[in-house]
Amino acid sequence: MDDDSGTPAPTGLRATALLGRPKLWLIPTVLTGLLALLLSLLYMGGIVNPNRELHDLPIALVNSDTGKPLTGRQQNLGTQITHSIVTNSGSRAAGWRQLTRAQAQDELDAGKVYGALVIPADFTNSVAALTTTNATARPTITVLTNPGKGSLGSSLASKISSTAAQQASLTIGKQLGAAATKADSTQKLFLADPVRIATQVGHPIGDNSGIGLTAFYYTLLLVLAGFMGGNVISNGVDTGLGYADNEIGPWHTRRPTVPIDRTQTLLLKMVMTAGITLLSVSLIMLASVSILGMDATHIPLLWIYSYCAALAVGLGVQAINAAFGGIGQLVSMFVFIVLGLPSSGATVPLQAVPGFYRFLSHFEPMRQLSDGVRAILYFDARGDAGLTRAWTMIGIGTAIGLLFGFAMVQYYDRKGHKRLTPQPA
């Protein structure tokens, strides 16, 4: 468009001229590089080698053997195997828990163990019968899995238990081979590895449970709903009150500035977050349970828990944005997502990640929320399966978010730090 003198209006600088300004490159380059480095270290650092980091994975060890000791032995085979497994100093992968069969089942049902190794009541008698004509069945040691603890965790526990059972079979085989001096070559081959290892599901979950991964992805949906919803609401309120410009493609608008202090602005955003989260959580459940058919029980409890979880994240996002301003979205992304995913224990057991992530898991929101979702979806909403701790941490997290957010904005208001309307250059 030309002015009245007929001179063309200035079109501004060209991009090629601005590319030569080092200061224009500095901040985006540094921030992008740091983000790429940190994300790589944090995400890959938690999953690169779970076997190397694995230690003290909770596994139940059940010795139900009631048979009499073999000739020349002071203990029956079940007791010998149990003692050998527990005292094995060569492996730190498992945290064996010696329990009764009923206790082991209760811990499987509460998600407290990743699996179990069960020695049956007739084990010694079945082994002793192998060297006689009274053998009716091959001795069996049972490995129980717990898919509700996640496919990787259950698989690691199954591998550890199977390895221990296999080692026990070979040890028993040496004892039998030494005693069965008259056995032919076929019998000796059989006696060298006499124990059958049977793998069973110790705590079944539904077919539409993602092999124990729906709890993680559902939790991720709740965190994302709170995180993205909080940021969308924050930006929308700032735009609506005239403290930020609204640009959609080529269209640009700026509303009149509404006189309001930071405290009232934060209160407005948090109330809106509480209301809009009702809709987002309901839609998450509609899509996950009703449309996609995700296995879920305790539906009313799941909805209430989901709402409180997403709301706690949303309020935390509003508090962080109010405290840190323009970089608030980046800070909240690290708090709720970047640090939360690798320390959640929902895909890789916390016993198989480096110590840094185990430290984060004590307070990172995603770990607390995923424990509660897992308890509701897979473990009959038992409090000792993680639901009680999850409710407690939701309450604590919400209180911290409210106190931190309002303390910061009231401080800014008392100092007279007014929100300024953006002005054109």
Side-chain angles (χ1 to χ4, degrees):
M1 179 178 178
D2 295 341
D3 58 20
D4 294 337
S5 65
T7 304
T11 58
L13 294 174
R14 299 184 64 85
T16 52
L18 296 174
L19 287 174
R21 296 186 178 183
K23 291 183 178 180
L24 195 64
W25 286 81
L26 181 61
I27 294 179
T29 302
V30 171
L31 288 180
T32 301
L34 284 176
L35 281 175
L37 178 62
L38 285 174
L39 288 174
S40 301
L41 292 174
L42 289 170
Y43 284 154
M44 299 305 294
I47 63 167
V48 167
N49 194 340
N51 287 310
R52 180 186 62 197
E53 304 293 341
L54 184 62
H55 71 284
D56 295 333
L57 188 72
I59 305 175
L61 179 57
V62 179
N63 176 26
S64 301
D65 192 357
T66 58
K68 294 181 179 180
L70 298 177
T71 304
R73 300 285 177 175
Q74 296 181 344
Q75 299 174 322
N76 64 24
L77 291 175
T79 304
Q80 292 180 42
I81 293 172
T82 300
H83 181 265
S84 175
I85 291 175
V86 172
T87 58
N88 180 17
S89 59
S91 174
R92 61 186 181 92
W96 295 102
R97 300 183 181 181
Q98 297 185 63
L99 305 170
T100 65
R101 184 65 182 86
Q103 289 172 335
Q105 188 60 55
D106 184 68
E107 297 224 340
L108 286 166
D109 294 340
K112 294 181 178 180
V113 293
Y114 285 82
L117 182 63
V118 180
I119 303 171
D122 63 345
F123 185 72
T124 297
N125 294 336
S126 298
V127 171
L130 293 176
T131 58
T132 69
T133 58
N134 297 325
T136 58
R138 191 179 179 191
T140 300
I141 292 179
T142 303
V143 173
L144 299 178
T145 63
N146 195 354
K149 293 292 288 180
S151 55
L152 178 58
S154 181
S155 175
L156 289 171
S158 177
K159 180 181 178 181
I160 293 170
S161 299
S162 297
T163 300
Q166 183 64 40
Q167 185 60 47
S169 178
L170 296 176
T171 301
I172 292 171
K174 292 180 181 179
Q175 298 178 22
L176 295 178
T181 56
K182 297 181 179 180
D184 58 30
S185 58
T186 302
Q187 290 176 315
K188 287 184 177 180
L189 182 62
F190 172 72
L191 293 176
D193 187 11
V195 179
R196 183 174 72 92
I197 302 171
T199 301
Q200 301 175 6
V201 178
H203 178 80
I205 58 176
D207 294 334
N208 292 339
S209 296
I211 322 176
L213 288 175
T214 52
F216 166 69
Y217 284 102
Y218 187 85
T219 303
L220 182 59
L221 286 173
L222 298 180
V223 173
L224 289 176
F227 172 75
M228 294 189 299
N231 283 310
V232 168
I233 293 168
S234 181
N235 292 334
V237 169
D238 287 342
T239 300
L241 297 180
Y243 291 94
D245 289 0
N246 182 31
E247 286 191 74
I248 301 177
W251 295 281
H252 170 269
T253 59
R254 180 184 298 163
R255 294 180 178 274
T257 302
V258 176
I260 184 173
D261 62 22
R262 294 176 182 272
T263 301
Q264 293 303 311
T265 302
L266 178 58
L267 178 61
L268 174 62
K269 291 178 179 180
M270 286 189 167
V271 172
M272 290 181 64
T273 299
I276 294 174
T277 301
L278 290 169
L279 174 63
S280 59
V281 164
S282 298
L283 292 176
I284 288 174
M285 285 197 64
L286 175 66
S288 301
V289 180
S290 300
I291 298 177
L292 299 177
M294 180 185 77
D295 287 324
T297 56
H298 307 283
I299 298 298
L301 174 61
L302 180 62
W303 185 89
I304 294 172
Y305 179 86
S306 300
Y307 173 72
C308 293
L311 178 60
V313 174
L315 296 179
V317 168
Q318 301 296 6
I320 291 173
N321 286 348
F324 293 95
I327 65 170
Q329 294 185 17
L330 190 60
V331 174
S332 60
M333 183 183 74
F334 266 85
V335 171
F336 292 106
I337 297 177
V338 174
L339 296 177
L341 284 172
S343 63
S344 67
T347 52
V348 180
L350 292 174
Q351 293 82 5
V353 298
F356 172 68
Y357 300 96
R358 291 194 296 275
F359 168 74
L360 289 178
S361 71
H362 292 297
F363 51 84
E364 263 298 319
M366 190 170 289
R367 186 274 171 101
Q368 326 306 328
L369 301 184
S370 65
D371 281 354
V373 171
R374 189 183 299 278
I376 295 173
L377 293 182
Y378 306 149
F379 299 113
D380 198 30
R382 289 180 53 161
D384 59 349
L387 187 56
T388 299
R389 173 185 168 85
W391 276 121
T392 302
M393 296 305 289
I394 286 176
I396 293 174
T398 301
I400 291 175
L402 292 172
L403 291 173
F404 174 70
F406 282 108
M408 292 301 296
V409 294
Q410 287 178 8
Y411 171 77
Y412 294 153
D413 286 338
R414 287 196 304 270
K415 289 293 184 178
H417 298 302
K418 303 297 183 183
R419 305 191 71 193
L420 301 178
T421 306
Q423 297 296 326

